[in-house]
Amino acid sequence: MTAIHDLPPIRVRGARENNLRDVDVDIPKHRLTVVTGVSGSGKSSLVFDVLAAESGRQLNATFSAFAQTRLPDYGEPDADALENLPAVIVVDQRRITGGPRSTVGTATDIGARMRLLFSRVATPPAGHSPAYGFNDPAGMCPACQGLGVAAAIDVGELVDADRSLAEGAITFPPFAPGQWLWKAYARSGFFDPAKPVRDYTPAERDLLLYTPAKTVAPPAGMDAVGTAYEGLIPRFTRLYLNREPESFKGAQRAAFERIVTRGRCPECAGTRLAAPARAARVGGLSIADANALPIDDLLAFVRGLHHPEVAPLLRALLGHLQRMVDLGLGYLSLDRATSTLSGGEAQRVKTARHLGSALTDMLYVFDEPTVGLHPRDVHRLGAMLRALRDRGNTVVVVEHDPAIMAIADHCVDMGPGAGAAGGRVCYTGPFDGLRRAYTPTGAGLRAARPARSRPRTPTGWIAITHARTNNLRDVSVRVPRGVLTAVTGVAGSGKSSLIHGHLPVAEPGTVVIDQRPIRGSRRSSPATYTGLLDTVRTAFARATGRPAGLFSPNSTGGCPACEGSGVIYTDLAFMDGVATRCEACEGRRFTEEAQRHTLDGRSIADVLEMNAEEARGLFTRGAARAVLDRLCDVGLGYVPLGRPLTTLSGGERQRLKLAAELADPGRTLVLDEPTTGLHLADTARLLGLVDRLVDGGATVVVIEHDLDVVAAADWVIDVGPEAGRGGGRVVFTGTPEELAARGDTHTAEHLRRHRSGR
């Protein structure tokens, strides 16, 4: 048998995807390889756009043409050769899809095993396994169809009684004046379209709102829509009430969320399950009770069960639960909706699922798996990655955390810079060599850890009192003004509940800068979000004498073939849509006329293809330069100005929001894990930026696990001591120096190690 060290490596030759510059690199098989480098250096291009994409493309090519239409579409990467590729499994931070019925239990094997357990040993029995599941008619609550929520229509929001039908009394956009559904009422012959709804008789109001379908017939010749008359409430209920808000866009979504109120289903109390499933018990708990337990507690519950007839099932269940705990997810419950998970939580849920797989000789690719993890849990994650490797798999991790770099068998450092200044392999080899390398990563590993020897003095205090959101236990705490405060604690301890849930109430005007998607369409970009495009097109108009609209892809300058988007979207109905580059403008978004007019030799298309660092050479002063400087200050100097916002990572979105907020300093800002996706060098730059904000009069509160940020803070609020029910208390307040000296918390322990260099 071939020894592991004799296995031929994965060979990449001449990779030119995105900013990669003819990259040649070997990735050893059956090893843990960590790929490092500053943001925008080419890490993701190498790992995801070359390795993972080509492996996925070749694997998909083995299926039938019909099957391929249902699989992800991987383009062939720009590379001379890729050899010895295993089949790939990508474990990234994308949210777990599945809609409102998707929970932690359904997204893992745990939910299925719990249903099987109850179907075998519960008393009184409810039936086979499906009878314990809310996604099957046999087990779902009939009142809420297994969703756990009851939706109700606020009639006062749906109908503005001060208006007439002609004036838009029905406030949901599909019923706006002139629309097909509006005609069903305004031209039915039952109502005077010019009469305010407030002046309707009781009979008219009942007819407008509540008449069931097919119970009345409009006057002859007045059936405006060709269907039976139906009251507004029954029609809205049938067409819209049970849809999710996410299924609507723009004004419709805003109107839907205003009109429809949602609350816990009174029939099943939000458990989603039918009465027989709720009545069946194992060890004194129903399956609804078990699903609601934190996984830590559920693990203890399952350990206490003694049913020899299902012993193999219990062993498998214990293994799955233990992996969730080992990955720092013990605070989650099986009934937690996957839509509420952060990117890091979603990735760790997927990791736990893959750790139970019996497959070997696979290529596992991870995208910054330490995101959202407290240092206490990072070593557990490292053990999981090594366990995958030891089962005979090749594991490649894109990561910034030195603790994960340190356990790697092999390191690949990309750079040296971002964008055009990166795209090269600067170092390959063991971690010890990386620490000595003359690269930004090597310099960051050797650099002295930052610490604030003289904390700033607060200018006042913001009082949060009796906070009880989620797992918080009647917490009262003071947040200092005019300084940098780090809020710490293990994942699930209650940090976000405390700050997001209560600081904006205690301090109106607080700006929360998180990693949630930015509202906007596929046309939105850093240039449009920051207002830079307005300034740039004005500069082009002034220099060329042409109207400013000519230099906007969303106006007269946009390519008519793709409507200024640069791509042609093809809707394939029940299959995933396809986006292809527009051949008319070659993906540049603008007409030939718009591209003929230049500013200092650059067209508007050229400018939007530049990143912020490059554009600073063109715009050396004024409002445009100020925006570009802010983008560079937050570590986004490598991002193309015209890049769609939908392609940005969570960390990039957050830093873009921060760049926009820098234009209005002096307020109270909350940053939620701002070091996500940041290289060691970029973290130092971020801290410098935060210091300038605080020195300029801002109050900055950072929810963070990064110990460099904690050590550089003026004040620390540590929440815990554990996660879920074991947390929800403030276990320390004071300076980082005091936390390291006398703190008895997980953060204190790791801060002491950090300060000592261990």
PDB file of all heavy atoms in Angstrom, residues 503-524:
ATOM      1  N   LEU A 503     -28.781  48.147  24.324  1.00  0.00           N
ATOM      2  CA  LEU A 503     -28.025  49.395  24.240  1.00  0.00           C
ATOM      3  C   LEU A 503     -28.733  50.448  23.391  1.00  0.00           C
ATOM      4  O   LEU A 503     -28.803  51.622  23.789  1.00  0.00           O
ATOM      5  CB  LEU A 503     -26.613  49.128  23.712  1.00  0.00           C
ATOM      6  CG  LEU A 503     -25.692  50.354  23.690  1.00  0.00           C
ATOM      7  CD1 LEU A 503     -25.528  50.938  25.097  1.00  0.00           C
ATOM      8  CD2 LEU A 503     -24.324  50.008  23.112  1.00  0.00           C
ATOM      9  N   PRO A 504     -29.303  50.094  22.207  1.00  0.00           N
ATOM     10  CA  PRO A 504     -30.001  51.133  21.439  1.00  0.00           C
ATOM     11  C   PRO A 504     -31.200  51.723  22.172  1.00  0.00           C
ATOM     12  O   PRO A 504     -31.589  52.859  21.904  1.00  0.00           O
ATOM     13  CB  PRO A 504     -30.446  50.383  20.172  1.00  0.00           C
ATOM     14  CG  PRO A 504     -29.472  49.259  20.033  1.00  0.00           C
ATOM     15  CD  PRO A 504     -29.196  48.826  21.446  1.00  0.00           C
ATOM     16  N   VAL A 505     -31.807  50.964  23.076  1.00  0.00           N
ATOM     17  CA  VAL A 505     -32.925  51.486  23.865  1.00  0.00           C
ATOM     18  C   VAL A 505     -32.409  52.441  24.934  1.00  0.00           C
ATOM     19  O   VAL A 505     -32.982  53.518  25.159  1.00  0.00           O
ATOM     20  CB  VAL A 505     -33.719  50.332  24.508  1.00  0.00           C
ATOM     21  CG1 VAL A 505     -34.833  50.877  25.408  1.00  0.00           C
ATOM     22  CG2 VAL A 505     -34.303  49.424  23.435  1.00  0.00           C
ATOM     23  N   ALA A 506     -31.311  52.040  25.590  1.00  0.00           N
ATOM     24  CA  ALA A 506     -30.735  52.881  26.637  1.00  0.00           C
ATOM     25  C   ALA A 506     -30.067  54.124  26.065  1.00  0.00           C
ATOM     26  O   ALA A 506     -29.987  55.152  26.756  1.00  0.00           O
ATOM     27  CB  ALA A 506     -29.725  52.071  27.460  1.00  0.00           C
ATOM     28  N   GLU A 507     -29.595  54.033  24.829  1.00  0.00           N
ATOM     29  CA  GLU A 507     -28.897  55.148  24.181  1.00  0.00           C
ATOM     30  C   GLU A 507     -29.482  55.348  22.786  1.00  0.00           C
ATOM     31  O   GLU A 507     -28.965  54.832  21.786  1.00  0.00           O
ATOM     32  CB  GLU A 507     -27.393  54.855  24.089  1.00  0.00           C
ATOM     33  CG  GLU A 507     -26.574  55.916  23.395  1.00  0.00           C
ATOM     34  CD  GLU A 507     -26.319  57.141  24.254  1.00  0.00           C
ATOM     35  OE1 GLU A 507     -26.999  57.322  25.285  1.00  0.00           O
ATOM     36  OE2 GLU A 507     -25.443  57.925  23.879  1.00  0.00           O
ATOM     37  N   PRO A 508     -30.597  56.073  22.672  1.00  0.00           N
ATOM     38  CA  PRO A 508     -31.189  56.313  21.347  1.00  0.00           C
ATOM     39  C   PRO A 508     -30.180  56.962  20.404  1.00  0.00           C
ATOM     40  O   PRO A 508     -29.377  57.801  20.810  1.00  0.00           O
ATOM     41  CB  PRO A 508     -32.354  57.262  21.657  1.00  0.00           C
ATOM     42  CG  PRO A 508     -32.697  56.988  23.091  1.00  0.00           C
ATOM     43  CD  PRO A 508     -31.384  56.680  23.759  1.00  0.00           C
ATOM     44  N   GLY A 509     -30.246  56.556  19.145  1.00  0.00           N
ATOM     45  CA  GLY A 509     -29.283  57.073  18.173  1.00  0.00           C
ATOM     46  C   GLY A 509     -28.075  56.189  17.993  1.00  0.00           C
ATOM     47  O   GLY A 509     -27.221  56.457  17.147  1.00  0.00           O
ATOM     48  N   THR A 510     -27.999  55.108  18.776  1.00  0.00           N
ATOM     49  CA  THR A 510     -26.896  54.161  18.613  1.00  0.00           C
ATOM     50  C   THR A 510     -26.947  53.535  17.218  1.00  0.00           C
ATOM     51  O   THR A 510     -28.010  53.128  16.752  1.00  0.00           O
ATOM     52  CB  THR A 510     -26.983  53.052  19.678  1.00  0.00           C
ATOM     53  OG1 THR A 510     -26.787  53.630  20.971  1.00  0.00           O
ATOM     54  CG2 THR A 510     -25.927  51.982  19.445  1.00  0.00           C
ATOM     55  N   VAL A 511     -25.793  53.457  16.565  1.00  0.00           N
ATOM     56  CA  VAL A 511     -25.692  52.868  15.231  1.00  0.00           C
ATOM     57  C   VAL A 511     -25.087  51.474  15.368  1.00  0.00           C
ATOM     58  O   VAL A 511     -23.966  51.323  15.874  1.00  0.00           O
ATOM     59  CB  VAL A 511     -24.821  53.728  14.296  1.00  0.00           C
ATOM     60  CG1 VAL A 511     -24.668  53.055  12.938  1.00  0.00           C
ATOM     61  CG2 VAL A 511     -25.426  55.117  14.139  1.00  0.00           C
ATOM     62  N   VAL A 512     -25.829  50.451  14.948  1.00  0.00           N
ATOM     63  CA  VAL A 512     -25.356  49.065  15.009  1.00  0.00           C
ATOM     64  C   VAL A 512     -24.838  48.679  13.627  1.00  0.00           C
ATOM     65  O   VAL A 512     -25.585  48.724  12.642  1.00  0.00           O
ATOM     66  CB  VAL A 512     -26.475  48.107  15.452  1.00  0.00           C
ATOM     67  CG1 VAL A 512     -25.973  46.665  15.442  1.00  0.00           C
ATOM     68  CG2 VAL A 512     -26.981  48.493  16.839  1.00  0.00           C
ATOM     69  N   ILE A 513     -23.573  48.305  13.558  1.00  0.00           N
ATOM     70  CA  ILE A 513     -22.938  47.927  12.294  1.00  0.00           C
ATOM     71  C   ILE A 513     -22.622  46.441  12.369  1.00  0.00           C
ATOM     72  O   ILE A 513     -21.665  46.024  13.022  1.00  0.00           O
ATOM     73  CB  ILE A 513     -21.659  48.755  12.048  1.00  0.00           C
ATOM     74  CG1 ILE A 513     -21.995  50.252  12.073  1.00  0.00           C
ATOM     75  CG2 ILE A 513     -21.016  48.376  10.726  1.00  0.00           C
ATOM     76  CD1 ILE A 513     -20.790  51.154  11.955  1.00  0.00           C
ATOM     77  N   ASP A 514     -23.464  45.636  11.704  1.00  0.00           N
ATOM     78  CA  ASP A 514     -23.324  44.186  11.778  1.00  0.00           C
ATOM     79  C   ASP A 514     -23.027  43.624  10.401  1.00  0.00           C
ATOM     80  O   ASP A 514     -22.696  44.346   9.469  1.00  0.00           O
ATOM     81  CB  ASP A 514     -24.567  43.542  12.392  1.00  0.00           C
ATOM     82  CG  ASP A 514     -25.840  43.908  11.628  1.00  0.00           C
ATOM     83  OD1 ASP A 514     -25.735  44.285  10.442  1.00  0.00           O
ATOM     84  OD2 ASP A 514     -26.931  43.812  12.202  1.00  0.00           O
ATOM     85  N   GLN A 515     -23.149  42.296  10.257  1.00  0.00           N
ATOM     86  CA  GLN A 515     -22.769  41.628   9.019  1.00  0.00           C
ATOM     87  C   GLN A 515     -23.968  41.174   8.191  1.00  0.00           C
ATOM     88  O   GLN A 515     -23.815  40.416   7.247  1.00  0.00           O
ATOM     89  CB  GLN A 515     -21.874  40.423   9.344  1.00  0.00           C
ATOM     90  CG  GLN A 515     -20.592  40.825  10.035  1.00  0.00           C
ATOM     91  CD  GLN A 515     -19.719  39.650  10.361  1.00  0.00           C
ATOM     92  OE1 GLN A 515     -19.790  38.611   9.734  1.00  0.00           O
ATOM     93  NE2 GLN A 515     -18.865  39.802  11.357  1.00  0.00           N
ATOM     94  N   ARG A 516     -25.137  41.662   8.525  1.00  0.00           N
ATOM     95  CA  ARG A 516     -26.316  41.260   7.758  1.00  0.00           C
ATOM     96  C   ARG A 516     -26.259  41.832   6.348  1.00  0.00           C
ATOM     97  O   ARG A 516     -25.617  42.859   6.109  1.00  0.00           O
ATOM     98  CB  ARG A 516     -27.584  41.736   8.465  1.00  0.00           C
ATOM     99  CG  ARG A 516     -27.920  40.946   9.715  1.00  0.00           C
ATOM    100  CD  ARG A 516     -29.191  41.438  10.345  1.00  0.00           C
ATOM    101  NE  ARG A 516     -29.050  42.806  10.827  1.00  0.00           N
ATOM    102  CZ  ARG A 516     -30.016  43.466  11.463  1.00  0.00           C
ATOM    103  NH1 ARG A 516     -31.183  42.890  11.660  1.00  0.00           N
ATOM    104  NH2 ARG A 516     -29.823  44.699  11.886  1.00  0.00           N
ATOM    105  N   PRO A 517     -26.934  41.174   5.405  1.00  0.00           N
ATOM    106  CA  PRO A 517     -26.919  41.686   4.030  1.00  0.00           C
ATOM    107  C   PRO A 517     -27.402  43.122   3.954  1.00  0.00           C
ATOM    108  O   PRO A 517     -28.263  43.557   4.726  1.00  0.00           O
ATOM    109  CB  PRO A 517     -27.871  40.739   3.299  1.00  0.00           C
ATOM    110  CG  PRO A 517     -27.828  39.476   4.098  1.00  0.00           C
ATOM    111  CD  PRO A 517     -27.656  39.898   5.521  1.00  0.00           C
ATOM    112  N   ILE A 518     -26.837  43.859   3.018  1.00  0.00           N
ATOM    113  CA  ILE A 518     -27.216  45.245   2.794  1.00  0.00           C
ATOM    114  C   ILE A 518     -28.387  45.280   1.839  1.00  0.00           C
ATOM    115  O   ILE A 518     -28.384  44.604   0.806  1.00  0.00           O
ATOM    116  CB  ILE A 518     -26.020  46.035   2.223  1.00  0.00           C
ATOM    117  CG1 ILE A 518     -24.870  46.057   3.248  1.00  0.00           C
ATOM    118  CG2 ILE A 518     -26.413  47.445   1.844  1.00  0.00           C
ATOM    119  CD1 ILE A 518     -23.582  46.608   2.695  1.00  0.00           C
ATOM    120  N   ARG A 519     -29.403  46.044   2.177  1.00  0.00           N
ATOM    121  CA  ARG A 519     -30.560  46.157   1.289  1.00  0.00           C
ATOM    122  C   ARG A 519     -30.127  46.738  -0.049  1.00  0.00           C
ATOM    123  O   ARG A 519     -29.362  47.692  -0.113  1.00  0.00           O
ATOM    124  CB  ARG A 519     -31.632  47.049   1.904  1.00  0.00           C
ATOM    125  CG  ARG A 519     -32.399  46.373   3.036  1.00  0.00           C
ATOM    126  CD  ARG A 519     -33.536  47.275   3.501  1.00  0.00           C
ATOM    127  NE  ARG A 519     -34.311  46.632   4.559  1.00  0.00           N
ATOM    128  CZ  ARG A 519     -35.372  45.881   4.330  1.00  0.00           C
ATOM    129  NH1 ARG A 519     -35.761  45.664   3.102  1.00  0.00           N
ATOM    130  NH2 ARG A 519     -36.040  45.339   5.335  1.00  0.00           N
ATOM    131  N   GLY A 520     -30.622  46.181  -1.107  1.00  0.00           N
ATOM    132  CA  GLY A 520     -30.268  46.657  -2.432  1.00  0.00           C
ATOM    133  C   GLY A 520     -30.378  45.521  -3.434  1.00  0.00           C
ATOM    134  O   GLY A 520     -30.546  44.357  -3.072  1.00  0.00           O
ATOM    135  N   SER A 521     -30.281  45.856  -4.697  1.00  0.00           N
ATOM    136  CA  SER A 521     -30.415  44.868  -5.759  1.00  0.00           C
ATOM    137  C   SER A 521     -29.043  44.407  -6.216  1.00  0.00           C
ATOM    138  O   SER A 521     -28.009  44.798  -5.672  1.00  0.00           O
ATOM    139  CB  SER A 521     -31.168  45.486  -6.940  1.00  0.00           C
ATOM    140  OG  SER A 521     -30.371  46.506  -7.545  1.00  0.00           O
ATOM    141  N   ARG A 522     -29.049  43.560  -7.262  1.00  0.00           N
ATOM    142  CA  ARG A 522     -27.790  43.091  -7.833  1.00  0.00           C
ATOM    143  C   ARG A 522     -27.001  44.235  -8.449  1.00  0.00           C
ATOM    144  O   ARG A 522     -25.811  44.089  -8.726  1.00  0.00           O
ATOM    145  CB  ARG A 522     -28.082  42.029  -8.906  1.00  0.00           C
ATOM    146  CG  ARG A 522     -28.641  40.731  -8.345  1.00  0.00           C
ATOM    147  CD  ARG A 522     -28.880  39.712  -9.435  1.00  0.00           C
ATOM    148  NE  ARG A 522     -29.901  40.129 -10.379  1.00  0.00           N
ATOM    149  CZ  ARG A 522     -30.906  39.351 -10.781  1.00  0.00           C
ATOM    150  NH1 ARG A 522     -31.016  38.137 -10.315  1.00  0.00           N
ATOM    151  NH2 ARG A 522     -31.782  39.781 -11.650  1.00  0.00           N
ATOM    152  N   ARG A 523     -27.650  45.377  -8.657  1.00  0.00           N
ATOM    153  CA  ARG A 523     -26.956  46.526  -9.228  1.00  0.00           C
ATOM    154  C   ARG A 523     -26.162  47.299  -8.183  1.00  0.00           C
ATOM    155  O   ARG A 523     -25.318  48.119  -8.529  1.00  0.00           O
ATOM    156  CB  ARG A 523     -27.968  47.481  -9.868  1.00  0.00           C
ATOM    157  CG  ARG A 523     -28.750  46.883 -11.019  1.00  0.00           C
ATOM    158  CD  ARG A 523     -29.829  47.868 -11.479  1.00  0.00           C
ATOM    159  NE  ARG A 523     -30.557  47.341 -12.616  1.00  0.00           N
ATOM    160  CZ  ARG A 523     -30.152  47.478 -13.866  1.00  0.00           C
ATOM    161  NH1 ARG A 523     -29.024  48.112 -14.120  1.00  0.00           N
ATOM    162  NH2 ARG A 523     -30.860  46.981 -14.855  1.00  0.00           N
ATOM    163  N   SER A 524     -26.471  47.097  -6.914  1.00  0.00           N
ATOM    164  CA  SER A 524     -25.800  47.854  -5.855  1.00  0.00           C
ATOM    165  C   SER A 524     -24.347  47.437  -5.735  1.00  0.00           C
ATOM    166  O   SER A 524     -24.006  46.260  -5.874  1.00  0.00           O
ATOM    167  CB  SER A 524     -26.521  47.645  -4.524  1.00  0.00           C
ATOM    168  OG  SER A 524     -27.877  48.039  -4.618  1.00  0.00           O
TER     169      SER A 524
END
